[in-house]
Amino acid sequence: MMPKEQKKKIVLNMESTKIRLYGVVHDSIVDGPGLRYTLFTQGCLHHCPGCHNPQSWDINGGYEEDIETIVADILSNPLLDGITLSGGEPFLQVKPLKILVSQIKAQTSLHIMIYSGYVYEDILKLGQDAIDLLSLCDTLVDGRFVLSLRSLELIYKGSSNQRIIDIHKSLQQGRVYEQKVSEYGEFID
């Protein structure tokens, strides 16, 4: 018989191979440039008024999916241009998302976009695992959704306070580098 501490470690390790999801869109054209596989993570503490996914707030809601199943699903579609991690709040599931994104990056050149209610500067304060996940991704849309700043004319964001950030340039430069987006939704250097 194993001691309780060892049993807890085994359970936690098993849990890290799963991601709690609100849902998946296999072929999105609105969650980033090109054709994208979008994961809506389950669980959010921001509770933004007017949120388009309030059913994703409950941390215990949704369903669990194996990382390997998600990776296989992504790899089975050769038409994908990228993956989008949305929510809920992806930064509540940093460890399993790090595993997922690492596996995708090791096997593809897909663009990875992540949405968060946290701003970039606060994500950097969430700890090394959050920074590691951030650095594996290419683009961040940061900030809470603010209903009074909502505009249907915005590309890839719901309210004007949110920023589209080039993560790699921001980390290299030590400051936020906002990504320019064409009227057609393409990223401009």
Side-chain angles (χ1 to χ4, degrees), residues 119-128 130-131 134 171:
V119 294
Y120 174 85
E121 296 83 357
D122 289 340
I123 292 169
L124 296 178
K125 298 174 187 172
L126 293 176
Q128 191 59 50
I131 295 168
L134 187 67
L171 290 171

Side-chain angles (χ1 to χ4, degrees), residues 48-51 143-151 158-162:
C48 302
C51 172
R144 293 176 183 224
F145 171 73
V146 177
L147 188 57
S148 63
L149 299 176
R150 176 180 181 240
S151 171
S159 56
S160 61
N161 63 298
Q162 295 172 315

Side-chain angles (χ1 to χ4, degrees), residues 94-109:
V94 170
K95 290 183 180 184
L97 288 175
K98 271 178 43 179
I99 295 168
L100 171 73
V101 174
S102 294
Q103 288 185 19
I104 294 301
K105 284 289 190 177
Q107 299 178 62
T108 74
S109 60

Side-chain angles (χ1 to χ4, degrees), residues 16-19 39 41 67 71 85 90-106 112 114 126-137:
S16 69
T17 64
K18 295 183 182 292
I19 299 173
L39 289 164
T41 60
I67 291 171
V71 170
L85 307 174
F91 283 94
L92 292 181
Q93 298 190 62
V94 170
K95 290 183 180 184
L97 288 175
K98 271 178 43 179
I99 295 168
L100 171 73
V101 174
S102 294
Q103 288 185 19
I104 294 301
K105 284 289 190 177
I112 310 290
I114 187 167
L126 293 176
Q128 191 59 50
D129 284 331
I131 295 168
D132 292 345
L133 173 59
L134 187 67
S135 67
L136 287 168
C137 299

